[in-house]
Amino acid sequence: MAEVSDARVFLLTGVMAAGKSTVAEALAGRFARSAHVRGDAFRTAIVSGRAPILPSLSPEAQAQLALRRRLGSDVALAYHEAGFTTVLQDIYLGEHLIEVAERLIATPLHVVVLFPSARVVAERKRSRTKTGYGDWEVEALWAQFMDTTPRLGLWLDTSALDVDETVEAILEDLESSRVTVGDLARARRALEKS
């Protein structure tokens, strides 16, 4: 297990079936004190009144996603403040990646985006027991993610990588995943221009 003198936060994202949960768990396992925060846990915690996440989001679904982002970053910060290296994992599409990163920027922050090809994602989706896509078309969501999400941190094409190889690639290139206030400001400006 890696020993680190200071805790850090990894913000790990990608489309459904990109391998986020598995990679996040394995990455967290490489540190002596770590936590894995799953963004979807905040959606499933809603017992009554959970809004469906569909391609056309209702105002209630948008509000619940905003709450999910806030809760995920708040919990990640709490673990970090307690001295845990934390891996926060969820789908952060478009400007929401910047939003969550801005909430976490006071920590040593590493952003990692997993982007296997749409073909590989579709193959993984077919072999999953989870049914996360629902009304979403794999190729459409993949294209939307790639077109709207700012190039922040380390982007890894994991099409040909297994979990251990992906974790090694992240740990071997921590400098590329490290995000600063300046990086966020540049990403925000680029997003506003597009």
Side-chain angles (χ1 to χ4, degrees), residues 112-116 154-159 161 165-167 169-170:
V112 178
V113 179
L114 305 181
F115 71 101
L154 175 64
W155 283 59
L156 281 176
D157 180 349
T158 57
S159 299
L161 300 179
E165 291 168 332
T166 301
V167 170
I170 293 167

Side-chain angles (χ1 to χ4, degrees), residues 66 69-70 94-104 188:
R69 290 189 299 273
R70 182 168 55 85
E95 69 181 296
H96 301 304
L97 177 59
I98 297 173
E99 172 196 334
V100 175
E102 286 172 341
R103 291 175 186 267
L104 300 171
R188 175 73 67 192

Side-chain angles (χ1 to χ4, degrees), residues 89-129:
Q89 161 255 312
D90 205 347
I91 299 171
Y92 298 116
L93 181 77
E95 69 181 296
H96 301 304
L97 177 59
I98 297 173
E99 172 196 334
V100 175
E102 286 172 341
R103 291 175 186 267
L104 300 171
I105 197 62
T107 70
L109 178 62
H110 298 266
V111 172
V112 178
V113 179
L114 305 181
F115 71 101
S117 71
R119 179 189 55 78
V120 168
V121 170
E123 288 170 5
R124 290 178 184 174
K125 179 203 177 249
R126 282 191 291 277
S127 65
R128 287 169 52 134
T129 55

Side-chain angles (χ1 to χ4, degrees), residues 28 60 98 134 139 144 150 153 169 183:
E60 180 60 23
I98 297 173
E139 292 78 7
Q144 182 183 3
D183 297 327

Side-chain angles (χ1 to χ4, degrees), residues 19-191:
K20 297 179 305 298
S21 298
T22 307
V23 169
E25 189 75 12
L27 177 60
R30 298 294 289 272
F31 295 89
R33 284 177 53 86
S34 63
H36 173 192
V37 179
R38 298 169 190 260
D40 194 49
F42 303 108
R43 179 187 66 87
T44 58
I46 299 172
V47 176
S48 297
R50 184 188 312 156
I53 306 301
L54 303 169
S56 178
L57 291 172
S58 69
E60 180 60 23
Q62 291 177 35
Q64 289 180 17
L65 284 171
L67 175 62
R68 173 175 166 166
R69 290 189 299 273
R70 182 168 55 85
L71 290 171
S73 54
D74 287 351
V75 170
L77 285 171
Y79 276 118
H80 176 263
E81 288 166 6
F84 289 89
T85 287
T86 305
V87 183
L88 171 60
Q89 161 255 312
D90 205 347
I91 299 171
Y92 298 116
L93 181 77
E95 69 181 296
H96 301 304
L97 177 59
I98 297 173
E99 172 196 334
V100 175
E102 286 172 341
R103 291 175 186 267
L104 300 171
I105 197 62
T107 70
L109 178 62
H110 298 266
V111 172
V112 178
V113 179
L114 305 181
F115 71 101
S117 71
R119 179 189 55 78
V120 168
V121 170
E123 288 170 5
R124 290 178 184 174
K125 179 203 177 249
R126 282 191 291 277
S127 65
R128 287 169 52 134
T129 55
K130 291 183 191 176
T131 56
Y133 275 92
D135 290 344
W136 294 84
E137 292 293 326
V138 172
E139 292 78 7
L141 181 58
W142 187 91
Q144 182 183 3
F145 186 93
M146 296 301 288
D147 291 345
T148 65
T149 305
R151 297 305 188 262
L152 191 63
L154 175 64
W155 283 59
L156 281 176
D157 180 349
T158 57
S159 299
L161 300 179
D162 66 20
V163 173
D164 290 333
E165 291 168 332
T166 301
V167 170
E168 284 303 320
I170 293 167
L171 293 174
E172 288 173 6
D173 199 4
L174 286 175
E175 189 57 36
S176 292
S177 66
R178 183 73 166 93
V179 172
T180 66
V181 172
D183 297 327
L184 284 176
R186 283 187 291 279
R188 175 73 67 192
R189 283 193 302 272
L191 198 63

